[in-house]
């Protein structure tokens, strides 16, 4: 039987990963993401329910509880995983929403799968949400859910949050289903974005492509409802990361990591999902050129690059993996010495403890995406540097650069500029790095993920029961 709730979180994935034990039994392990940490207390306080895909193809998973959280799985068939998840979500929308860093593909059958799966999510919500409940829908995989829900359940208060960038009108316009996507989002009362630029892009597109009246952050719909579009920059569990970083186990592990690397003078670090938006190749190239130019020496500096496996059945991701493998092999072959590779490359995912130890071990953190909604790795690094040491090299095109102004900001398309920034960060006197780090730490610790969730949910709570029907557009002057 489905549980019922006054608060329903809807995301593509459930906040747990399945672990298959050697004896054939199954258990669930909480995913390490910040979203779960942020929503956990809100979920508990409101007896909330989380609806999402469990990651496999089982069709018979019943709603279940894990550590007091009520979870409702949405099944996906292998064809749906291909069309909805790998296809429409990650080979069409993902590249379009990230500045077309890779070429998007458009397939009508992928769109059909996207509609079918979004409807399935909406129907699950209908079964679970109590009268007048608050429903918070997350991310680009589920942009049609708000409108589908609105039609099925006009009593609900619906919020939508986009975790990735919302593209400029000129790129969004390429989508054959642009109008349906905009109308899908307009089913929400509040649409949240990482940056104010994304919110402005959305409002402009709604005016241009759907023809609704808009004023500042409000859209006025023909049925009288108003929809607000605003920025809510996401963050991390900063105090949690700092506490972890301060733990003895993590400090010991950080020392071990530096020893294993041969006690270099400086450690550069990159940690990313293996994704073409992250700029991994360009950053490794910049680092290797510094060695070739004689500015850095493998006896003194090493680059640790962690690339977490991701979306491995999507072609662009496979191609990228091969490219990185080849590049790392070439750089190490050309520039490394026995026991001293220029790049220490790890294709693996690690628990939070190991990530914290890596952050503690790194002198220069390098985060150079071509486009990124926020980039939480940059904020995690800052949270772990309670000693005010460590330099952050950060792309201007990561949302985080808006808040972390004291980082060494770079344009990842400019390899020479990146080389200069890497070197400046490497050579910066301790006084300068700690001045910058102190300022960034203030920002990250003040605006954590709990503040983010609270801000969004209070925005949603302000929506009047008539969904803003009393609010009238200002008269044209
Ligand atoms: O940043 C967007 C996002 O969908 C996150 O929500 C998620 O943690 C990450 O990308 C990985 O996505 P996937 O669910 O495709 O593995």
């Amino acid at each position: 039987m489905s549980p019922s709730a006054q608060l329903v979180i809807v995301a593509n994935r459930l906040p747990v990963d399945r672990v298959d034990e050697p004896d054939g039994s199954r258990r669930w392990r909480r995913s390490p993401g910040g979203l779960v940490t942020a929503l956990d207390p809100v979920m508990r306080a409101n007896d909330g329910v989380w609806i999402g895909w469990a990651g496999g193809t089982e069709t018979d998973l019943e709603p279940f509880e894990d550590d007091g959280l009520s979870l409702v799985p949405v099944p996906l068939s292998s064809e749906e995983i291909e069309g909805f998840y790998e296809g429409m979500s990650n080979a069409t929308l993902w590249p379009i929403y990230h500045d077309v860093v890779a070429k998007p593909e458009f397939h009508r059958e992928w769109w059909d799968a996207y509609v079918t799966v979004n409807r399935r999510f909406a129907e699950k919500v209908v079964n679970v949400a109590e009268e007048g409940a608050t429903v918070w829908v997350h991310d680009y995989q589920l942009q049609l859910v708000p409108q589908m829900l609105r039609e099925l359940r006009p009593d609900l208060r619906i919020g939508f949050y986009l975790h990735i960038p919302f593209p400029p009108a000129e790129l969004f316009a390429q989508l054959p289903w642009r109008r349906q996507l905009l109308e899908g989002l307009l089913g929400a009362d509040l649409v949240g974005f990482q940056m104010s630029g994304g919110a402005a892009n959305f409002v402009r597109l709604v005016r241009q492509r759907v023809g609704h009246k808009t004023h500042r952050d409000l859209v006025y719909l023909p049925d009288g409802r108003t929809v607000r579009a605003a920025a809510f920059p996401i963050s991390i569990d900063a105090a949690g990361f700092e506490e972890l970083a301060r733990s003895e186990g993590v400090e010991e592990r950080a020392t071990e990591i530096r020893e294993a690397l041969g006690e270099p003078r400086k450690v550069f670090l990159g940690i990313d999902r293996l994704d073409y938006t992250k700029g991994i190749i360009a950053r490794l190239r910049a680092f290797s050129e510094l060695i070739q130019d004689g500015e850095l020496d493998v006896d003194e500096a090493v680059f640790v690059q962690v690339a977490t496996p991701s979306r491995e059945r999507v072609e662009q991701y496979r191609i990228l993996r091969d490219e990185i493998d080849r590049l790392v092999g070439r750089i190490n072959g050309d520039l490394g010495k026995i026991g001293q590779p220029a790049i220490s490359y790890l294709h693996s995912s690690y628990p939070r403890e190991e990530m914290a130890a890596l952050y503690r071990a790194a002198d220069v953190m390098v985060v150079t995406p071509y486009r990124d909604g926020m980039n939480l790795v940059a904020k995690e690094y800052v949270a772990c540097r309670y000693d005010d040491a460590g330099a952050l090299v950060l792309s201007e095109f990561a949302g985080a650069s808006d808040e972390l102004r004291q980082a060494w900001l770079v344009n990842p398309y400019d390899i020479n500029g990146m080389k200069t920034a890497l070197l400046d960060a490497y050579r910066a006197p301790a006084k300068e790095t700690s001045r910058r780090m102190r300022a960034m730490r203030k920002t990250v610790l003040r605006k954590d993920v709990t503040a983010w969730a609270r801000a969004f949910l209070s925005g949603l709570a302000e929506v009047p029961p008539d969904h803003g029907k009393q609010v009238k557009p200002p008269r044209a002057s």
Side-chain angles (χ1 to χ4, degrees):
M1 211 183 85
S2 288
S4 65
Q6 269 301 321
L7 174 69
V8 184
I9 305 293
V10 195
N12 181 44
R13 286 189 189 268
L14 285 175
V16 288
D17 296 318
R18 207 184 56 194
V19 183
D20 293 313
E21 302 289 10
D23 66 1
S25 65
R26 176 170 64 201
R27 69 182 172 88
W28 298 95
R29 182 180 48 212
R30 192 66 67 85
S31 345
L35 188 61
V36 196
T37 319
L39 297 179
D40 187 278
V42 200
M43 287 267 294
R44 284 178 203 277
N46 295 281
D47 288 330
V49 170
W50 188 308
I51 296 177
W53 171 46
T57 48
E58 292 97 328
T59 49
D60 55 352
L61 286 179
E62 291 295 324
F64 62 101
E65 285 220 354
D66 180 78
D67 190 18
L69 290 190
S70 184
L71 309 176
V72 176
V74 179
L76 294 187
S77 66
S78 50
E79 293 76 33
E80 285 166 347
I81 294 175
E82 219 175 285
F84 155 77
Y85 172 71
E86 291 157 2
M88 187 66 201
S89 297
N90 289 314
T92 307
L93 295 170
W94 182 267
I96 287 262
Y97 282 37
H98 287 88
D99 277 4
V100 194
V101 170
K103 197 169 162 37
E105 285 184 51
F106 303 106
H107 296 292
R108 284 167 287 182
E109 50 299 1
W110 289 359
W111 170 253
D112 294 341
Y114 188 82
V115 176
T116 306
V117 172
N118 271 247
R119 188 163 304 285
R120 188 169 310 142
F121 271 83
E123 280 161 1
K124 283 277 178 196
V125 180
V126 168
N127 290 334
V128 163
E130 290 170 1
E131 177 71 23
T134 294
V135 180
W136 189 359
V137 184
H138 290 263
D139 232 354
Y140 62 104
Q141 303 93 344
L142 301 177
Q143 292 173 94
L144 304 180
V145 171
Q147 184 196 30
M148 291 171 169
L149 262 184
R150 178 71 56 201
E151 278 162 13
L152 294 164
R153 289 286 301 274
D155 59 297
L156 299 175
R157 199 182 281 264
I158 305 170
F160 179 92
Y161 186 77
L162 186 70
H163 290 253
I164 66 173
F166 191 81
E170 293 70 16
L171 296 182
F172 189 86
Q174 290 182 17
L175 281 162
W177 312 280
R178 59 199 180 193
R179 191 178 170 121
Q180 291 94 313
L181 288 163
L182 293 170
E183 284 175 343
L185 293 171
L186 288 170
D189 295 295
L190 174 62
V191 187
F193 299 87
Q194 298 279 15
M195 318 300 296
S196 52
N201 289 346
F202 172 70
V203 171
R204 180 172 156 221
L205 270 158
V206 164
R207 196 170 52 243
Q208 284 179 343
R209 298 281 167 192
V210 196
H212 293 328
K213 277 206 178 73
T214 68
H215 180 64
R216 299 208 171 133
D217 61 353
L218 290 183
V219 177
Y220 304 89
L221 300 187
D223 68 359
R225 273 195 316 118
T226 52
V227 177
R228 190 174 152 230
F232 298 86
I234 200 167
S235 194
I236 56 160
D237 171 21
F241 261 99
E242 171 160 349
E243 197 187 322
L244 191 61
R246 283 179 184 274
S247 70
E248 220 173 287
V250 164
E251 277 307 334
E252 277 169 14
R253 179 69 192 134
T255 311
E256 251 173 51
I257 290 172
R258 288 193 76 107
E259 278 167 10
L261 292 168
E263 295 289 3
R265 201 164 81 78
K266 298 259 162 144
V267 176
F268 290 76
L269 174 66
I271 300 186
D272 311 82
R273 258 185 330 98
L274 202 157
D275 194 299
Y276 49 79
T277 59
K278 303 288 183 185
I280 300 173
I281 298 250
R283 117 177 31 134
L284 295 181
R285 229 178 239 148
F287 178 77
S288 70
E289 284 188 20
L290 287 172
I291 299 176
Q292 273 161 351
D293 301 346
E295 300 282 6
L296 294 177
D297 191 316
V298 285
D299 290 327
E300 299 208 312
V302 64
F303 200 116
V304 178
Q305 176 64 54
V306 175
T308 309
S310 182
R311 305 175 188 162
E312 291 181 290
R313 283 162 36 130
V314 179
E315 197 193 354
Q316 298 274 12
Y317 289 75
R318 283 203 210 137
I319 296 174
L320 177 69
R321 182 174 178 196
D322 290 345
E323 276 178 22
I324 297 178
D325 285 352
R326 267 199 306 276
L327 181 68
V328 171
R330 197 163 63 230
I331 294 173
N332 283 341
D334 289 348
L335 306 173
K337 294 184 184 165
I338 287 182
Q340 279 175 319
I343 294 166
S344 183
Y345 175 56
L346 304 154
H347 179 249
S348 184
S349 64
Y350 293 106
R352 259 161 65 103
E353 291 74 15
E354 183 72 359
M355 301 273 278
L358 283 162
Y359 294 140
R360 294 293 309 150
D363 302 288
V364 184
M365 182 79 215
V366 192
V367 182
T368 56
Y370 293 121
R371 179 61 68 193
D372 212 331
M374 176 55 63
N375 197 292
L376 299 180
V377 161
K379 291 189 171 182
E380 287 171 6
Y381 180 66
V382 170
C384 287
R385 300 313 311 211
Y386 59 83
D387 50 357
D388 292 340
L392 174 65
V393 175
L394 179 61
S395 163
E396 296 166 21
F397 304 126
S401 69
D402 236 41
E403 294 167 81
L404 305 179
R405 305 303 302 168
Q406 296 80 8
W408 274 265
L409 295 177
V410 293
N411 169 1
Y413 293 96
D414 170 11
I415 302 259
N416 283 346
M418 267 203 293
K419 285 168 70 177
T420 308
L422 289 177
L423 217 49
D424 286 352
Y426 174 80
R427 291 182 177 155
K431 217 168 145 197
E432 155 125 36
T433 46
S434 66
R435 179 185 60 76
R436 292 179 183 237
M437 186 53 81
R438 255 199 312 278
M440 292 193 287
R441 285 181 53 72
K442 255 196 203 152
T443 311
V444 169
L445 287 163
R446 190 161 38 93
K447 297 190 199 161
D448 68 358
V449 73
T450 310
W452 166 79
R454 202 182 299 129
F456 187 89
L457 286 170
S458 0
L460 197 49
E462 279 165 21
V463 172
D466 69 351
H467 304 283
K469 289 192 177 165
Q470 303 303 320
V471 186
K472 296 285 167 252
R475 296 251 288 278
S477 50

